[in-house]
Each structure stands twice: as C-alpha cells, then as structure tokens.
Amino acid sequence: MRFGHIAGDRMLDLVNTVDWRLGGRDRTENLRTYLDVLDWCVESDLVSGDEAATLRDLARRDDTRAERERQRVVDARERVYAALFDDDAEAAAHLAGMYREAVAAADLVRTGDRWQWRDRDTDLDLPRHRIVRGLVALTQRDDLDRLHQCEDARCGWVYLDTSPRRNRRWCNTRDCGDRNRARAYYARQKAKSRQP
C-alpha cells in the first residue's frame, strides 16, 4: 500500500495524506495528482477497480478538471482537520456545504439489510463526493474523545487512541515513537555529561 492506514478510520487516514503536517517547510503533500487521490480511494475501498479505470480515463481526457477535483479533495481534508483539531466553525460550515452537494449527487438505496449512498454518475467528482460523505460521518462518530494527534513536534498525523489506558503518544511506535525516545535518551545523556 502507498498510503498509511494507521488511524483507525479511513477518513482519518485521509487526513494523514500529508507528511510532516506540523513541519513547516518540510510539510509534504502526498495527494499531488488526481491519480494519487484515486489510488488512495482504491486502497480505502471507496472506489472500485472498475470505477478507478473509468476515472483514470476521464482524468487523462480532462486534466484541468481532474486537478480542480484533486484540489477540492485536499480542501475537504483540510476543512475536516480544522473542524476536528481547531474547532473551526467556518471550516465545518464549508464542509457542510460540500456535503449538501455530495448528497445531491447520489440516491439513498437499500442494499441487503442496510441503506447506503449510490452515486448517479461515474464522473471526476465521484471520489470527492464519497470522501466528503465519509468526512461528515467521521465528525459524527461517538468516540471522537479518543481522537489524538501524534506527539512528535513535526509529524501531525492523527488517530483514534484505542489503547486500553488511552495513552498512545505516537502515530507509529516504530517511527515517531523510536525517533522521539532516541532523542530523549540522547538529551538525557548529554545533560548527564554536563553535570560535575
């Protein structure tokens, strides 16, 4: 898989499609093209392989519109981040407007024993509509008290802390966790060496 899936919710994994979110100039966008958005959607089971093939063809034929859709997906991702982590009411209102558009493009249909959204068309805006509906569903989870951001000063990845004691500090213990523990160890060693 190309993208990290560590957050406990695929929409939080979307928020994590930015490396070094808090890293200033080191911040790196991972959804650089519309095809990156499609790859993320396929990995996250939001778009089927057949739909992705159709959308790739449409994107090749209209790269300007595909880029506009990529930007809208990134905007939705940043709006949900601002709503969840900065309590930004304006970002939430903008996301609600995006949601109204996404719902208007689909029908609510019964499939087996559940109801779900079915998009009317397979067009370049399909990934965005599915993502936005998922982002709004994320904001309505009843376990958002477990929402946490990696304690690495630059990382910024987010996740649901499902640890029994709710004491998970790092997005990934083998990455940010190891790096920060090593940094703390060396700082302690350096402090000890300075003592008379």
Side-chain angles (χ1 to χ4, degrees), residues 123-152:
D123 201 356
L124 290 172
D125 56 8
L126 178 116
R128 175 173 50 94
H129 290 161
R130 290 185 183 168
I131 285 169
V132 167
R133 290 192 299 260
L135 291 174
V136 170
L138 167 67
T139 66
Q140 298 172 336
R141 286 183 65 128
D142 60 6
D143 60 351
L144 289 182
D145 60 321
R146 292 181 172 268
L147 189 59
H148 194 74
Q149 190 160 27
C150 182
E151 292 181 21
D152 181 275

Side-chain angles (χ1 to χ4, degrees), residues 141-187:
R141 286 183 65 128
D142 60 6
D143 60 351
L144 289 182
D145 60 321
R146 292 181 172 268
L147 189 59
H148 194 74
Q149 190 160 27
C150 182
E151 292 181 21
D152 181 275
R154 295 171 56 235
C155 175
W157 274 22
V158 300
Y159 54 87
L160 291 171
D161 182 356
T162 56
S163 64
R165 295 187 310 178
R166 293 188 185 196
N167 63 347
R168 180 176 166 189
R169 298 183 60 198
W170 319 111
C171 62
N172 185 321
T173 58
R174 283 178 263 148
D175 188 5
C176 287
D178 285 350
R179 185 175 52 258
N180 281 276
R181 283 188 290 274
R183 190 177 295 139
Y185 172 79
Y186 288 118

Side-chain angles (χ1 to χ4, degrees), residues 72-73 75-84 88-102 128 131-139:
R72 288 176 171 170
V73 166
D75 181 47
R77 179 193 70 198
E78 295 307 303
R79 299 288 180 162
V80 81
Y81 176 83
L84 291 174
D88 185 331
E90 185 179 322
H94 189 82
L95 188 62
M98 296 172 90
Y99 180 72
R100 285 188 285 278
E101 181 185 347
R128 175 173 50 94
I131 285 169
V132 167
R133 290 192 299 260
L135 291 174
V136 170
L138 167 67
T139 66

Side-chain angles (χ1 to χ4, degrees), residues 7-87:
D9 183 287
R10 64 185 172 185
M11 292 301 132
L12 288 176
D13 290 328
L14 177 71
V15 173
N16 292 341
T17 56
V18 176
D19 289 336
W20 308 117
R21 176 178 281 283
L22 307 177
R25 290 192 319 240
D26 292 331
R27 179 180 165 126
T28 305
E29 175 62 61
N30 292 319
L31 300 179
R32 292 183 294 272
T33 68
Y34 183 82
L35 299 183
D36 292 333
V37 171
L38 281 181
D39 288 347
W40 182 86
C41 286
V42 169
E43 281 186 21
S44 301
D45 294 325
L46 277 183
V47 169
S48 72
D50 289 344
E51 288 170 327
T54 300
L55 293 169
R56 281 187 185 95
D57 185 49
L58 290 173
R60 278 192 274 288
R61 286 190 262 149
D62 192 347
D63 59 341
T64 301
R65 186 161 168 245
E67 172 57 17
R68 218 172 21 249
E69 283 301 320
R70 182 201 69 84
Q71 291 172 1
R72 288 176 171 170
V73 166
V74 169
D75 181 47
R77 179 193 70 198
E78 295 307 303
R79 299 288 180 162
V80 81
Y81 176 83
L84 291 174
F85 287 91
D86 299 329
D87 202 22

